[in-house]
């Protein structure tokens, strides 16, 4: 179970994301072997066979959607997912290092089963630093020609929902599950 999710909400309140677009899409990367094992991952972690299939299925689901811009984390698992989803749209995803997952420093390669998002790992990022980085990257992404598809990570989705003032529904955290965010009111 994840600890520190309330801190995402607090920090998100301090860093509200105010996209001007009517709607946008978010896609977490496909599954990796370390996702299955619940291990903190480095940026070069590739998709496993299930993740590749999930990316293909996401591409099918999003093929009928109007998407003008695809922005993705430059981590290998997100890039592979974004390239797969971009193919039916005949466009190239734009990588943004700011969309990478949180750097957990010395914890990379260890169990993330009882992740504490408020920890301050040696040689890694604090949660406040991560949230500021995410805010900047998401603001850049959502200022591009809309509708935008953002392909990133689970931590990015926590940050995004917190900055939008939405409580995260854990059922939406699945790998390569396309999500549509639309303005209401």
């Amino acid at each position: 179970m994840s600890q520190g999710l309330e801190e995402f909400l607090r920090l998100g309140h301090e860093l509200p994301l105010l996209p001007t677009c009517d709607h946008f899409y978010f896609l977490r990367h496909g599954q990796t072997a370390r996702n299955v094992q619940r291990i903190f991952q480095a940026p070069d972690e590739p998709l496993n066979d299930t993740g590749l299939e999930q990316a293909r299925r996401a591409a099918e689901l999003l093929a009928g959607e109007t998407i003008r811009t695809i922005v993705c984390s430059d981590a290998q698992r997100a890039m592979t997912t974004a390239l797969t989803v971009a193919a039916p749209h005949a466009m190239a995803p734009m990588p943004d290092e700011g969309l990478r997952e949180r750097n957990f420093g010395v914890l990379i390669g260890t169990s993330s089963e009882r992740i504490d998002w408020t920890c301050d790992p040696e040689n890694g990022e604090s949660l406040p630093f991560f949230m500021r980085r995410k805010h900047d990257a998401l603001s850049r992404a959502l200022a591009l020609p809309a509708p935008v598809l953002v392909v990133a990570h689970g931590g990015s989705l926590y940050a995004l929902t917190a900055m939008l003032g939405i409580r995260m529904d854990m059922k939406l955290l699945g790998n390569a599950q396309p999500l549509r965010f639309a303005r209401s009111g």
Side-chain angles (χ1 to χ4, degrees):
M1 168 172 261
S2 296
Q3 297 177 39
L5 296 181
E6 292 300 319
E7 189 64 7
F8 269 101
L9 291 173
R10 187 186 73 72
L11 291 168
H13 181 73
E14 293 175 9
L15 295 166
L17 191 62
L18 305 168
T20 57
C21 56
D22 290 335
H23 71 280
F24 65 92
Y25 301 88
F26 181 90
L27 183 67
R28 182 181 176 205
H29 62 79
Q31 185 185 82
T32 69
R34 290 197 166 193
N35 282 147
V36 175
Q37 298 168 343
R38 303 288 309 256
I39 301 288
F40 288 110
Q41 302 174 73
D44 61 351
E45 184 72 26
L47 298 181
N48 61 17
D49 289 341
T50 299
L52 292 168
E53 181 55 37
Q54 289 171 333
R56 285 190 287 273
R57 180 70 181 130
E60 291 172 9
L61 292 170
L62 291 167
E65 299 295 327
T66 301
I67 296 172
R68 293 187 55 209
T69 308
I70 300 175
V71 182
C72 65
S73 159
D74 68 344
Q76 183 177 349
R77 57 195 179 272
M79 282 291 299
T80 301
T81 302
L83 287 165
T84 303
V85 172
H89 296 279
M91 62 176 56
M94 299 169 33
D96 184 333
E97 184 178 345
L99 290 172
R100 277 189 188 182
E101 183 59 279
R102 182 174 169 193
N103 177 357
F104 280 95
V106 298
L107 297 177
I108 292 173
T110 67
S111 175
S112 65
E113 193 163 344
R114 294 187 176 272
I115 185 173
D116 179 358
W117 286 95
T118 62
C119 74
D120 196 5
E122 184 180 337
N123 297 324
E125 294 177 306
S126 67
L127 185 57
F129 182 90
F130 171 72
M131 290 289 284
R132 281 190 299 279
R133 177 170 61 84
K134 277 300 161 193
H135 183 270
D136 293 347
L138 290 166
S139 293
R140 279 191 306 275
L142 296 178
L144 294 168
V148 174
L149 167 63
V150 176
V151 182
H153 307 272
S156 301
L157 184 55
Y158 284 131
L160 173 64
T161 56
M163 289 176 207
L164 291 173
I166 302 169
R167 188 165 285 278
M168 178 65 180
D169 182 343
M170 299 307 280
K171 292 180 273 184
L172 301 178
L173 194 58
N175 289 98
Q177 180 177 328
L179 301 174
R180 184 178 192 269
F181 289 82
R183 181 181 308 282
S184 65

